Amino acid sequence: MTKAIFFDIDGTLVSFKTHRIPASTREALKELHNKGIKIFIATGRPWCLIDNLDGLDFDGYITVNGSYCFTADHQDIYKSCIPQEDIKRLIDYHQTNPTPFVFVYDNEMFVTSVNDRVQAVSDLIEIPVPRVAPIEEALGKEVLQTMGYFTAEEEKETDIFDKVLTHCEPMRWYPLFADIIAKGNSKSTGIDKVLEYYGIDLKDTMAFGDGGNDVPMLKHVATGVAMGNAEEHVKAVADYVTTSVDEDGVANALKHFGLI
């Protein structure tokens, strides 16, 4: 019996075309709650950027790809920060490799510089470009996530995760940048922390996603659902592929499994 369902935001709950949650999805989520099924957000976004959920109620939040999890009333469940030694090495690296980086800490964020990639990603998910600040501002902060605006090919060329961010790993859901978090974290890690907190068994779970950073949770839960607009390698690990976010994908899958 499904007792908890985890939802990615961008491309899953929220359309990249309209930047809104489809009406069918809103109604489906309300019906799940009415049936006593707990619903959770599982996103790469930090809390300060979760402003597109149309006032819907969720039982808890897995944010920054599992690095920070908390309840609906903001009681901490789990928090894992990037080690300061990695931040210090990144500051040194940045002097000769001035790629833009975003740093997320507490309920704040800043970017070291703005280029076409930063603007393109901000436009894609309809968020404001963060304030610009020197990279040194990250020193001494509880950095939950940094975002590096480099492609997978550029990542390999620089060996940044072998030489600089040695205690971190990248999560990608869009080719222009990588979400970077402390090693050992993912949306599946966050799910385990949330399930432990609420006393729910993994066999009673479902998750919806569309991007590369959703792969760990789709493989981890009892039933992983990929959106029709998902990348092919995401669909390959899912138990079920529904229609796209703009074609009532969430509602259609929940109907398929008899949950609404």
Side-chain angles (χ1 to χ4, degrees):
M1 184 174 69
T2 301
K3 297 180 180 178
I5 307 180
F6 299 84
F7 296 93
D8 171 54
I9 295 179
D10 299 295
T12 299
L13 288 182
V14 176
S15 165
F16 285 123
K17 296 178 182 177
T18 67
H19 303 291
R20 297 292 303 276
I21 299 177
S24 63
T25 301
R26 293 198 300 271
E27 292 306 312
L29 295 181
K30 291 175 183 177
E31 191 168 341
L32 290 175
H33 251 171
N34 290 338
K35 289 188 173 183
I37 298 173
K38 293 190 179 298
I39 57 175
F40 299 93
I41 289 296
T43 181
R45 289 188 181 225
W47 172 246
C48 59
L49 292 182
I50 300 178
D51 58 357
N52 56 349
L53 298 180
D54 290 342
L56 290 168
D57 294 323
F58 291 87
D59 294 285
Y61 298 83
I62 296 169
T63 67
V64 284
N65 290 306
S67 295
Y68 186 31
C69 309
F70 49 88
T71 64
D73 58 354
H74 289 269
Q75 298 297 311
D76 285 1
I77 295 175
Y78 175 70
K79 193 175 191 179
S80 177
C81 300
I82 296 175
Q84 278 292 300
E85 59 192 277
D86 281 31
I87 298 296
K88 291 176 181 176
R89 279 194 297 269
L90 183 57
I91 290 172
D92 291 338
Y93 167 88
H94 194 258
Q95 307 312 313
T96 54
N97 298 271
T99 301
F101 279 87
V102 167
F103 290 87
V104 177
Y105 57 94
D106 297 327
N107 200 28
E108 298 183 45
M109 61 193 303
F110 72 89
V111 65
T112 56
S113 61
V114 177
N115 64 8
D116 291 344
R117 292 179 180 180
V118 175
Q119 189 63 59
V121 173
S122 294
D123 292 342
L124 175 71
I125 57 177
E126 203 176 48
I127 61 171
V129 173
R131 67 181 177 89
V132 177
I135 192 171
E136 288 79 10
E137 189 167 315
L139 279 173
K141 302 290 195 305
E142 288 190 329
V143 178
L144 292 165
Q145 176 177 277
T146 183
M147 289 167 263
Y149 287 81
F150 46 77
T151 65
E153 292 74 21
E154 291 165 344
E155 174 188 321
K156 292 176 183 177
E157 291 171 1
T158 60
D159 290 330
I160 188 170
F161 293 101
D162 291 326
K163 299 177 180 178
V164 182
L165 297 169
T166 59
H167 298 92
C168 297
E169 55 190 331
M171 300 277 179
R172 285 188 182 273
W173 58 267
Y174 196 69
L176 295 184
F177 80 110
D179 289 330
I180 301 165
I181 55 178
K183 276 184 179 177
N185 293 295
S186 68
K187 291 187 180 184
S188 63
T189 306
I191 285 173
D192 285 342
K193 300 297 182 181
V194 167
L195 294 179
E196 181 182 2
Y197 182 88
Y198 285 98
I200 299 172
D201 198 293
L202 186 63
K203 66 180 176 59
D204 300 321
T205 60
M206 179 181 286
F208 286 72
D210 71 298
N213 60 338
D214 295 317
V215 168
M217 77 168 178
L218 295 183
K219 294 170 65 175
H220 189 57
V221 295
T223 305
V225 179
M227 304 301 290
N229 49 279
E231 300 167 33
E232 290 305 313
H233 75 282
V234 179
K235 293 178 181 178
V237 305
D239 299 294
Y240 181 74
V241 178
T242 186
T243 51
S244 75
V245 60
D246 295 296
E247 298 171 308
D248 305 318
V250 169
N252 287 340
L254 293 172
K255 289 174 182 175
H256 170 81
F257 288 103
L259 293 173
I260 62 172

